[in-house]
Amino acid sequence: MQAMETEVKIRVADREALEQKLPAFGFARITERTLERNTLHDTRDRKLRNTRQILRIRQYGSKWVVTHKCVPSGMTEEGPHKNRVETETLVEDGPAMGKIFEALGFGPVFVYEKWRTEWADQQGHCVIDETPLGVYAELEGPSEWIDATARKLGIRESEFITLSYGRIFELWRDQSGSKAANFTFDEIPESFRGKGF
């Protein structure tokens, strides 16, 4: 399925307080807290990254999803929301899909992990991600819905983050001097929780 994905991230200081607000605004929890592991694939010269695309295999619990994302045609800079054309599908065997990508010249280049809980109302999703650098929420849906939902939750537009988790990790690594190669719980010590961007 292909669709336009519109979203923002927000740093979350108090996860419990946020989750307590959601039901009052019409949100229902659609998945329990589940470990998610994402592997990005690219060529050796990072052709996809250099053209602002990603090719990803995601394991979410027992499900495997393959995703391609790219910047919409003609878009040169981000507004307050992140917009991507997203094509994704469920697959039966993620590791086998990875081998196919490798055979085509797209090897694994980056892994990122989080514990994700998904909430949704009639128009969009609010997911809560516990990452190796702290907790983030993502609001995904129509632009107007994102802005209205953020206001209800007491979130200002100045708090919106349009960076990918990969970019958040790179900024943290540059600032901290860490030698971590991936955004995973094994590679980032617990002492860094809450020190993301």
Side-chain angles (χ1 to χ4, degrees):
M1 185 178 98
Q2 187 176 72
M4 179 67 75
E5 175 192 65
T6 303
E7 68 176 27
V8 297
K9 292 182 180 65
I10 301 107
R11 289 276 295 152
V12 176
D14 188 335
R15 179 211 168 121
E16 286 185 15
L18 174 60
E19 287 203 310
Q20 286 172 3
K21 291 179 183 178
L22 293 175
F25 293 122
F27 283 87
R29 187 165 52 201
I30 56 173
T31 63
E32 298 292 332
R33 181 176 179 268
T34 302
L35 182 64
E36 179 185 293
R37 184 175 173 86
N38 301 273
T39 303
L40 299 186
H41 288 253
D42 206 338
T43 59
R44 287 188 180 182
D45 61 357
R46 299 296 181 94
K47 178 181 176 183
L48 295 179
R49 180 192 168 116
N50 294 336
T51 55
R52 298 176 72 192
Q53 300 180 70
I54 68 158
L55 181 62
R56 179 181 70 202
I57 298 175
R58 167 175 287 173
Q59 182 179 17
Y60 187 66
S62 61
K63 290 197 317 186
W64 294 94
V65 180
V66 171
T67 304
H68 173 264
K69 291 188 187 186
C70 64
V71 176
S73 178
M75 185 175 152
T76 56
E77 59 184 61
E78 300 283 2
H81 311 127
K82 179 180 177 181
N83 294 284
R84 294 292 182 268
V85 178
E86 180 181 82
T87 307
E88 68 179 17
T89 187
L90 287 168
V91 294
E92 188 172 308
D93 188 330
M97 194 79 242
K99 293 296 184 188
I100 292 170
F101 286 167
E102 288 182 57
L104 296 172
F106 296 95
V109 294
F110 180 64
V111 176
Y112 62 103
E113 295 176 331
K114 57 208 181 204
W115 287 91
R116 169 167 279 190
T117 307
E118 296 177 295
W119 294 75
D121 69 3
Q122 297 300 313
Q123 295 186 67
H125 288 80
C126 176
V127 299
I128 299 175
D129 291 336
E130 300 165 57
T131 80
L133 293 176
V135 180
Y136 291 82
E138 286 186 356
L139 296 176
E140 181 180 338
S143 295
E144 303 79 18
W145 175 88
I146 290 174
D147 293 340
T149 302
R151 283 193 297 271
K152 288 179 191 174
L153 295 172
I155 298 163
R156 299 180 304 275
E157 187 177 304
S158 61
E159 297 176 76
F160 291 179
I161 299 167
T162 57
L163 300 174
S164 67
Y165 282 120
R167 190 70 186 121
I168 288 170
F169 166 75
E170 288 172 345
L171 290 170
W172 166 80
R173 186 178 58 187
D174 291 346
Q175 188 179 76
S176 69
S178 171
K179 302 301 183 193
N182 296 289
F183 191 24
T184 63
F185 294 101
D186 283 344
E187 291 192 46
I188 299 178
E190 194 167 335
S191 59
F192 287 105
R193 303 290 184 267
K195 297 187 179 176
F197 287 80

